[in-house]
């Protein structure tokens, strides 16, 4: 029979015989075939909350080709940022390899992709056997070394094997073997991530490598004639890690035993990943469960799901969970049109808290829904009506306006600087209309985890001129001749960005304050477009605390709270 492959990086690792790359072939198999998956795919599936649609498109090559074959819709233009992040990730990996290689007893470069490698390059079964022998040889070198010697370091090691219902392949970035007292070694498998934090998905991906590596180590006695005693560990090395020397007490590690058990469970017949791939009614793409939420922002297939949902006016567009979708579908409610028809048109005033009535013809249907979902139907129906205003304005349930105000949400926490209510006006700590409003925009560079642009618009109701605009940016990210980031210089640039922006901002606030007669005691309120932008600015200001009075005062100002509903900023 023909052997099958799975692509990892720019290289294909050959899967063992008896494995398939299609869920349908896996289901139809009578020979106990295993479903192909990569260790990196396992990590990505965890990152995407084990979304069945993502899992299927990531693993099932046949479905992926069928769904993405319509090139006219641009399915292949997911995110240009991916290639940038991949290149930066490779540069970071190379810097780690070069540093550790200088301080190892022996370095084994099991495989590294080169620029002249062809995309269809295959690591065949004989090559994999050679690599397994190199792994055992490296472990044997450490076993016969003095405990004071430097460790053996293995780079970019391809691994394959069977874990429960899956044929698994992947590249382990680092395998470090330290000699120990008493004919023993410590083996730590480390995955390199060009990120700034450690995720559960990173740990699970690494636990996949350690599970595969244990199968290789089981052959040690057969090859060398005596048993191997070892301690297996796992670690995630990111930009916050110290990797100047392969010291096992300084290099990162995490609790491995539970993560290995998680992998065994997830890939078993009743495991989460197996279920997400092979659940019932998953033969057709449109029948595979999914939901549209914030996780989709980092998904390379998001355009596919949004376009498919729009084409079918599917209830997934409402942003509800897979469980809520299932409950609605069981009652025959599968489209935006049907949800829009469930309730009467709502009063659009944000201070009207009466929910729209369920139409009498649909009351029995709504009562058959779970209680929590019943309570959400008036709001969901209103949202569906507003969507129809854009999608199908001729529908009788379409709202008269697109994205109208939502009823019953109140005035939120955005301050009203000129309220109609006399009692509310008496509680203001500034004259009506004389609150200085600062609308801040914060842009970060995701690769370097630094703020690179700040802008703000400063205004007041009583300010007769146009809002004052201020901005400051880092024009160039400093890199060396190898295009590696020079973080010392970048930190200097970010610090200067904050200081220059703060100086301009305070000057603009003072200008508006003088114009409305409130200088130097003007009341100020900051507005951010997202909570993440606020957090990003605070984190950057904290990074350089006690280095500049102006930036320290801005950080303190933004952190002020007078009460649970009275703070110095609002999120729009």
């Amino acid at each position: 029979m023909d052997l099958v492959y799975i692509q990892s990086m720019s290289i294909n690792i050959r899967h063992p015989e008896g494995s398939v790359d299609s869920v349908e072939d896996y289901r139809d198999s009578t020979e106990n075939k295993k479903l192909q998956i990569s260790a990196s795919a396992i990590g990505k599936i965890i990152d995407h909350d084990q979304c069945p649609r993502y899992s299927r498109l990531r693993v099932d090559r046949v479905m992926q080709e069928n769904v993405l074959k319509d090139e006219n819709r641009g399915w292949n233009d997911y995110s240009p940022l991916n290639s940038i992040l991949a290149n930066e990730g490779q540069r970071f990996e190379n810097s780690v390899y070069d540093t550790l290689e200088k301080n190892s007893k022996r370095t084994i470069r099991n495989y590294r992709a080169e620029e002249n490698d062809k995309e269809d390059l295959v690591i065949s079964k004989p090559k994999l056997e050679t690599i397994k022998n190199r792994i055992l040889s490296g472990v044997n070198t450490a076993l016969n070394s003095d405990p004071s010697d430097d460790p053996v370091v293995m780079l970019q090691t391809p691994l394959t094997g069977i874990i429960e219902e899956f044929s698994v392949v992947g590249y382990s970035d680092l395998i470090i073997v330290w000699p120990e007292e008493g004919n023993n070694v410590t083996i730590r498998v480390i995955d390199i991530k060009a990120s700034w934090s450690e995720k559960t998905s990173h740990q699970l991906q690494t636990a996949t490598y350690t599970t595969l590596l244990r199968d290789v180590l089981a052959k040690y006695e057969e090859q060398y004639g005596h048993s191997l005693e070892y301690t297996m560990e796992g670690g995630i090395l990111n930009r916050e890690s110290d990797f100047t020397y392969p010291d096992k007490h300084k290099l990162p590690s995490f609790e491995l035993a539970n993560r290995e058990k998680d992998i065994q469970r997830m890939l078993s017949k009743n495991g989460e990943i197996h279920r997400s791939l092979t659940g019932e009614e998953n033969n057709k793409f449109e029948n595979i469960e999914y939901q549209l939420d914030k996780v989709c922002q980092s998904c390379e297939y998001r355009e596919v799901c949004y376009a498919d949902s729009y084409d079918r006016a599917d209830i997934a567009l409402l942003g509800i969970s897979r469980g809520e979708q299932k409950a609605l579908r069981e009652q025959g409610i599968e489209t935006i049109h049907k949800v829009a028809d469930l309730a009467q048109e709502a009063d659009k005033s944000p201070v009207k808290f009466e929910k729209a009535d369920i139409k009498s013809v649909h009351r029995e249907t709504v009562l058959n829904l779970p209680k929590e979902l019943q309570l959400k139907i008036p709001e969901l129906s209103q949202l569906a009506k507003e969507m129809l205003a854009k999608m199908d304005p001729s529908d009788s349930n379409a709202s008269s306006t697109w994205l109208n105000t939502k009823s019953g949400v109140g005035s939120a926490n955005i301050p009203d600087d000129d309220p109609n209510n006399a009692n509310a006006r008496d509680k203001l700590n500034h004259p009506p209309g004389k609150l200085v409003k600062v609308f801040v925009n914060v842009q970060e560079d995701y690769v370097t985890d630094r703020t690179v642009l700040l802008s703000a618009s400063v205004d007041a109701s009583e300010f007769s001129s146009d809002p004052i605009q201020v901005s400051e940016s880092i024009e160039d990210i400093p890199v060396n001749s190898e295009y590696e980031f020079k973080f010392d210089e970048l930190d200097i640039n970010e610090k200067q960005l904050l200081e220059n922006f703060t100086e301009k901002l305070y000057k603009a606030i003072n200008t508006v304050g003088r114009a409305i007669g409130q200088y130097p005691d003007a009341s100020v309120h900051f507005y951010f477009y997202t909570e993440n932008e606020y957090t990003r600015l605070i984190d950057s200001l904290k990074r350089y605390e006690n280095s500049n009075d102006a930036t320290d005062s801005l950080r303190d100002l933004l952190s002020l709270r007078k009460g649970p509903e009275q703070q110095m900023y609002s999120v729009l």
Side-chain angles (χ1 to χ4, degrees), residues 160-407:
T160 67
I162 303 298
I163 304 179
E164 298 294 335
E165 292 298 309
F166 291 84
S167 170
V168 186
V169 300
Y171 280 88
S172 170
D173 292 330
L174 281 173
I175 300 175
I176 304 180
V177 188
W178 287 278
E180 302 285 5
E181 299 283 355
N183 199 34
N184 189 12
V185 293
T186 294
I187 303 172
R188 188 174 303 169
V189 177
I190 296 178
D191 205 30
I192 302 172
K193 299 294 184 183
S195 61
W196 298 89
S197 60
E198 185 171 320
K199 297 180 180 180
T200 299
S201 59
H202 298 163
Q203 295 181 355
L204 289 168
Q205 183 176 341
T206 304
T208 304
Y209 298 137
T210 61
T211 302
L212 295 174
L213 182 58
R214 289 183 189 276
D215 290 342
V216 177
L217 298 178
K219 303 292 185 180
Y220 181 87
E221 185 173 2
E222 178 183 323
Q223 184 155 329
Y224 289 95
H226 57 88
S227 61
L228 172 67
E229 297 293 331
Y230 67 88
T231 300
M232 183 72 79
E233 299 176 345
I236 307 299
L237 192 154
N238 57 36
R239 292 192 182 278
E240 297 287 356
S241 305
D242 179 3
F243 57 89
T244 54
Y245 185 82
D247 185 335
K248 68 179 177 181
H249 300 295
K250 292 184 178 180
L251 285 175
S253 64
F254 62 84
E255 171 55 44
L256 179 63
N258 288 334
R259 291 305 185 206
E260 287 186 328
K261 291 177 182 177
D262 289 339
I263 286 297
Q264 296 283 352
R265 186 194 71 249
M266 289 178 171
L267 300 183
S268 67
K269 198 150 234 176
N270 295 317
E272 299 94 311
I273 292 178
H274 187 270
R275 290 201 309 270
S276 72
L277 284 163
T278 64
E280 295 180 3
E281 299 182 338
N282 279 12
N283 288 323
K284 292 185 177 181
F285 176 72
E286 58 267 26
N287 291 335
I288 300 175
E289 290 185 349
Y290 69 108
Q291 66 189 60
L292 302 176
D293 56 22
K294 62 181 180 181
V295 175
C296 301
Q297 295 175 9
S298 62
C299 177
E300 60 264 43
Y301 307 120
R302 61 186 179 275
E303 285 92 345
V304 179
C305 294
Y306 277 105
D308 170 63
S309 301
Y310 187 91
D311 289 345
R312 296 182 291 112
D314 193 83
I315 55 176
L317 290 171
L318 296 170
I320 55 180
S321 69
R322 299 198 294 267
E324 290 170 329
Q325 290 181 51
K326 184 177 180 180
L328 288 171
R329 295 185 200 281
E330 287 175 348
Q331 299 301 318
I333 305 169
E334 298 185 340
T335 66
I336 295 293
H337 298 77
K338 290 186 176 181
V339 175
D341 193 51
L342 292 177
Q344 304 289 347
E345 183 81 13
D347 188 320
K348 299 299 178 65
S349 170
V351 295
K352 294 287 186 179
F353 289 89
E354 296 83 5
K355 291 186 176 182
D357 292 331
I358 303 298
K359 293 181 180 180
S360 58
V361 69
H362 297 308
R363 284 175 186 166
E364 185 175 348
T365 299
V366 173
L367 287 173
N368 287 330
L369 298 172
K371 188 66 176 178
E372 290 185 2
L373 184 53
Q374 290 180 35
L375 298 175
K376 294 173 68 173
I377 290 300
E379 182 180 333
L380 291 175
S381 183
Q382 179 187 347
L383 178 59
K385 293 176 192 293
E386 291 168 355
M387 286 184 171
L388 286 179
K390 188 72 172 179
M391 298 169 62
D392 188 4
S394 64
D395 188 275
S396 60
N397 285 303
S399 176
S400 57
T401 55
W402 165 240
L403 290 180
N404 205 333
T405 56
K406 185 180 290 186
S407 64

Side-chain angles (χ1 to χ4, degrees), residues 7-10 40 44 58 79-95 97 112-113 115 156 173 192-195 239 300 445-448 482-485:
Q7 187 168 341
S8 178
M9 296 171 53
S10 60
S40 61
K44 290 292 186 180
R58 181 76 191 217
S79 175
L81 184 62
N82 287 345
S83 60
I84 298 174
L85 294 176
N87 289 334
E88 175 51 32
Q90 190 60 59
R91 281 197 293 268
F92 180 64
E93 284 186 22
N94 290 340
S95 69
Y97 295 150
R112 293 182 67 185
E115 291 183 0
Q156 281 287 295
D173 292 330
I192 302 172
K193 299 294 184 183
S195 61
R239 292 192 182 278
E300 60 264 43
D445 177 62
Y446 294 97
V447 177
T448 60
E482 300 296 325
Y483 293 99
E484 296 171 339
F485 294 116

Side-chain angles (χ1 to χ4, degrees), residues 139-168:
V139 171
N140 190 60
T141 297
L143 194 63
N144 290 291
S145 300
D146 189 88
S148 61
D149 287 348
D150 289 331
V152 173
V153 177
M154 306 183 206
L155 312 178
Q156 281 287 295
T157 303
L159 295 167
T160 67
I162 303 298
I163 304 179
E164 298 294 335
E165 292 298 309
F166 291 84
S167 170
V168 186

